[in-house]
Amino acid sequence: MKAKLLSVAALALMIALGTSCSQKNDQDAKIQALEDKIAQLEAGSSSITPVNAQTTQTADPSTLGAFEFSEMEYNFGTIKEGEVIEHIFNFTNNGQAPLVISNITASCGCTSPDWTKTPVNPGEKGFVKVVFNSTAKSGAQAPTVTIQANTNPTVTRLQMKGTVTPGAGAAGAPVGPVKR
């Protein structure tokens, strides 16, 4: 009985080893095939275009506006916490088509933008107004607004920068929740 059990165990062990060796050979063959494909791609100068790639065309300058800002960064200096700073960035459309601002986003909730909502014809002027509220802010600050428009490049960034000193009420105020 023990001999029969030992022979069955030995047979199972040989089958397991044979299977693992064949799996290793299959894996080695797959790895070699992948390495061959990589070598072919590296050797050839053909480029592979991803399936989801989109074709791009150079934009026709006659369909684009062009920002020319008098300044793209405004330094508001040092202010006290809680002060609100407003600055208007003026621009001229130096493009060949009406400039249309499609969207402007602020870098944080402390900054709110306003802008010329109508198309700005070539040679005409427009504005981007940025309001920065320094409440609950301290230290160096650099809020930005990102403009999306029919320009090349399509994204333009304006920045305000300065330093906010803690207000009188903030000096002795506890940080975090207050236990009562």
Side-chain angles (χ1 to χ4, degrees), residues 64-82:
L64 297 177
F67 283 121
E68 183 180 314
F69 282 94
S70 54
E71 62 181 337
M72 296 188 67
E73 185 177 283
Y74 172 69
N75 187 338
F76 58 80
T78 302
I79 62 171
K80 287 191 169 132
E81 182 181 337

Side-chain angles (χ1 to χ4, degrees), residues 92-160:
T92 303
N93 177 4
N94 283 343
Q96 299 177 18
L99 191 150
V100 178
I101 297 175
S102 56
N103 191 28
I104 296 185
T105 55
S107 59
C108 69
C110 62
T111 307
S112 59
D114 188 20
W115 64 93
T116 304
K117 304 284 196 292
T118 58
V120 178
N121 290 320
E124 291 185 356
K125 297 186 180 300
F127 72 92
V128 175
K129 177 179 161 185
V130 180
V131 179
F132 169 66
N133 185 344
S134 67
T135 301
K137 301 285 181 187
S138 64
Q141 299 295 315
T144 61
V145 292
T146 303
I147 306 168
Q148 294 174 331
N150 64 329
T151 57
N152 187 16
T154 57
V155 174
T156 304
R157 286 186 179 79
L158 302 175
Q159 183 177 44
M160 295 174 74

Side-chain angles (χ1 to χ4, degrees), residues 168-179:
V175 176
V178 178
K179 186 174 180 180

Side-chain angles (χ1 to χ4, degrees), residues 21-39:
C21 288
S22 68
Q23 285 177 349
K24 183 170 178 7
N25 289 341
D26 287 345
Q27 287 176 343
D28 289 343
K30 288 178 183 177
I31 290 172
Q32 185 60 45
L34 287 173
E35 288 176 349
D36 291 343
K37 286 181 184 179
I38 290 171

